Amino acid sequence: MASPTPVLKDELDIVIPTIRNLDFLEMWRPFFQPYHLIIVQDGDPSKVIKVPKGFDYELYNRNDINRILGPKASCISFKDSACRCFGYMVSKKKYIFTIDDDCFVAKDPSGNDINALEQHIKNLLTPSTPFFFNTLYDPYREGTDFVRGYPFSLREGVPTAVSHGLWLNIPDYDAPTQLVKPRERNTRFVDAVLTIPKGTLFPMCGMNLAFDRELIGPAMYFGLMGDGQPIGRYDDMWAGWCMKVICDHLGLGVKTGLPYIWHSKASNPFVNLKKEYKGIYWQEELIPFFQAATLPKECTTVQSCYKELSKQVKAKLGKVDEYFIKLSDAMLTWIEAWDELNPSAPLPNGNAK
Amino acid sequence: MSTPCPPSLLSLAIDAALFNLHNISDLSFLPEHLLIDLFLRTLRAGKLTDRILRIFVATGKEEILSVIQALNIQFVLTPVLPTITIDSNEVDIVIAAFHSDLTSFMEEWRPIFSRFHLIIVEDPDLKEELKIPKGFDFDVYTKSDIDKLAGSSNAAMFSGYSCRYFGYLVSKRKYIISIDDDCSPAKDNNGDLVDIVTQHITNLRTPATPFFFNTLYDPYRKGADFVRGYPFGLRSGVTCVLSCGLWLNLADYDAPTQSLKPELRNSRYVDAVLTVPKNTLMPMSGINLAFDREMVGPALLPALKLAKEGKFRWETIEDIWCGLVVKAVCDHLDLGVKTGLPYVSRNERGSAIDSLKKEWEGVKLMEELVPFFQSLKLSPEAVTAESCVTEIAAAVKKGLGRSHTELANVADSMVAWLKIWKEVRSRV
């Protein structure tokens, strides 16, 4: 009999970037109410964001970010949901769950509401298996196990740093795909969680994401996007690639699959195309860069890995566009700001007290 | 001249209903004679659409239904076109028979297998003649065929579970689908029988994407695509040469696991196909697989025979070995391997505890094999499956053969297999 999933209400913060309103929280109330929310308000700081009653939250707008970080605030994006990573930085909890304000509770094939947060917690509290692929997916799930041929020495797995959830209804397509298939909806409920193998990169979507802040927090920088930047909609991608390289280096796991949320809003594909345009070209260079990136074995903390990565970004990607020089500096600023707000000697794997 | 009668209130009401028919979804409240009247007016006005016809039919009123039948009004049927046409000349289905009476097995698979050619290889230890029901196009190979083709020195290579490799050897077709003889067709989440042939061939005919993980799994499936952030340069994928299916009910667990959890059955139907990423190894199960024989035939080979290999899957790892070899070949040649759908249903057979008492060796051996294959590097000169396998055999002899005698034999078997493979090819 499986023991109930711990609620972890004092160990988990929910980070939500928003620019309009937080009405969507009403639908999540049964699942989110026990938790502390960190709301990062993007856009005009003079606008008042109404938070539904009964939630315990702290809210930061641009003025707060500038005040808290001072000149280091330059690393936090403006007019882009990438600003959410500020929430990761100020949180004091072990786990973070982040969700977009157009994501609602989905239903499983039996018609029951999906408690996305509970599934993320399950994913994070059970090990990952990045060194050998299990054909029955996550072996720690109820009703399944390691298959024949799976070496016993690898069955303990490694700690899970990230849990990447998926979306029903509006799929997370890029602008060109959206333009070609405006009516496509993701209706397929794939009842699986799986570990992304070591050495394999993936496009990490920030819409429905949870991670262990103590294990991997400093690597979850969502880059420079939005106002004043040549690119948008690549914030989570950038964080995902950096994060995976570091997880692979430090022996941490990344899971993808369940839980599903219901993504309700399709953003305008023409607006998206303008934002993504440079990214679509740049990603052809970025992927080989990240695939080939290696970190020296002296890098044993997330921060040192990240700083090393930023050096490589500057050296190798600076030639692609000077944006990457700016980005690599911002990566360093982010680490400085992170360490300032989270003071304590980082132990290997970033296990801070 | 008489003036026409003004329309009655009732008539006007029915006309109003006709005018607003697009807003109406239920007509069951209408008395039958009015229903008929409305129906006839709908026909005269040319407003009978599929949706409106359904609403009339849904009232269940006899007179309406007989009017519809009398006028021979039918629903428009949209045919479900198959998205992929399988040329049965391209497919061989290879079954290793461990039971002489294959009647119930074949009957269960008849709806799915009947239009394909079957290669049935009888376990050389089986003494009885095979019983196969009528209506199938098949060839049977027995111990004597194996002895004749492979010669007495190599015949042992094709004993037990490995007899099916003989089927792969003699096949002349492009695709091979192979399942164990203790499997039945599974049912998907809609209750439909899973057609493993169509799914395996679909997997093999659509590209694989081993260089970058797509979070919506196989992007070539209907209703899915590449997600945001997937580089366009990688979207054409590579040829998929191996399709590994899964199992409901008795999953392919090893003996220790199944002994520890005797009640554990797999009831989760995961509706996904995904590419196993490059440089990621996996345990390939021989219970339900398909491959492109023309591209990787030489790499699916009988080589690793455990000392006490038996007649239950718990007592073998020949397929696991094969999978490590095939994956190494695919990673080197940039070919793809998919896993996931289709499912078969695996029937109860044997006792995990008995198998465990008998055979531990396989479990121990995996500890050596995985690190070996993870560090294996093939030379750039190896550009075919054969040359890759030759290099792997040499590496096995050098790297593992010294510490494990059974693995030195494996290397020799691999070389012998390639020789026979080449010979059979040259006769064609």
Side-chain angles (χ1 to χ4, degrees), chain A residues 131 133 142 145-146 148-149 152-153 155 172 174 181 188 197 200-201 203 233 236-237 283-284 291, chain B residues 211 213 222 225 228 230 232-233 235 252-254 257 261 268 277 280-281 283 316 319 366-367 374:
Chain A
F131 305 120
F133 190 86
E142 242 179 86
D145 211 308
F146 289 96
R148 176 174 57 100
F152 274 79
S153 58
R155 295 194 188 196
D172 189 23
D174 53 41
K181 297 180 165 189
R188 187 175 289 130
T200 301
L201 294 174
R233 283 172 55 88
D236 41 8
M237 299 296 137
Q283 73 191 8
E284 303 300 316
Q291 280 173 335
Chain B
F211 306 119
F213 190 88
K222 191 155 179 277
D225 211 310
R228 174 175 59 97
Y230 204 104
F232 279 79
R235 293 193 189 197
D252 194 10
Y253 294 128
D254 54 38
T257 307
K261 302 179 174 185
R268 188 176 286 135
T280 299
L281 294 174
T316 72
D319 47 355
M366 285 311 296
E367 299 299 325
Q374 277 172 339

Side-chain angles (χ1 to χ4, degrees), chain B residues 135-324:
Chain B
F136 288 94
D137 170 23
F138 65 92
D139 282 305
V140 174
Y141 295 90
T142 61
K143 183 172 189 307
S144 56
D145 298 304
I146 296 173
D147 287 340
K148 214 162 74 178
L149 188 63
S152 49
S153 50
N154 287 322
M157 209 191 293
F158 299 104
S159 60
Y161 270 98
S162 300
C163 66
R164 63 206 174 95
Y165 294 99
F166 190 79
Y168 305 168
L169 185 65
V170 298
S171 165
K172 296 189 179 47
R173 304 204 181 178
K174 181 162 169 67
Y175 297 113
I176 297 223
I177 296 177
S178 183
I179 61 168
D180 280 1
D181 70 351
D182 57 0
C183 296
S184 308
K187 286 210 169 83
D188 66 17
N189 285 331
N190 297 327
D192 298 322
L193 224 55
V194 173
D195 180 351
I196 65 167
V197 177
T198 304
Q199 185 64 60
H200 272 307
I201 301 297
T202 305
N203 293 350
L204 292 171
R205 295 247 291 255
T206 48
T209 51
F211 306 119
F212 202 70
F213 190 88
N214 192 44
T215 46
L216 280 185
Y217 313 110
D218 189 342
Y220 300 97
R221 279 191 85 193
K222 191 155 179 277
D225 211 310
F226 291 97
V227 295
R228 174 175 59 97
Y230 204 104
F232 279 79
L234 295 178
R235 293 193 189 197
S236 31
V238 297
T239 312
C240 179
V241 295
L242 178 65
S243 166
C244 302
L246 295 174
W247 345 268
L248 290 173
N249 192 40
L250 205 66
D252 194 10
Y253 294 128
D254 54 38
T257 307
Q258 195 76 72
S259 307
L260 197 63
K261 302 179 174 185
E263 304 305 316
L264 182 61
R265 295 293 177 271
N266 187 24
S267 53
R268 188 176 286 135
Y269 184 96
V270 178
D271 189 4
V273 181
L274 59 135
T275 299
V276 183
K278 179 168 173 159
N279 297 333
T280 299
L281 294 174
M282 53 172 277
M284 181 186 89
S285 168
I287 296 174
N288 169 19
L289 58 76
F291 60 98
D292 184 329
R293 200 190 54 84
E294 287 176 6
M295 298 286 290
V296 283
L300 273 109
L301 38 66
L304 183 48
K305 211 168 224 14
L306 296 175
K308 298 202 212 89
E309 186 188 275
K311 304 295 187 200
F312 298 99
R313 273 289 174 203
W314 291 309
E315 297 161 7
T316 72
I317 59 166
E318 51 86 13
D319 47 355
I320 311 288
W321 171 265
C322 199
L324 295 171

Side-chain angles (χ1 to χ4, degrees), chain B residues 349-367:
Chain B
R349 199 164 84 89
S351 150
I353 296 181
D354 288 344
S355 292
L356 183 60
K357 283 189 227 160
K358 196 174 157 214
E359 186 50 79
W360 244 124
E361 211 195 313
V363 166
K364 286 190 280 175
L365 211 48
M366 285 311 296
E367 299 299 325

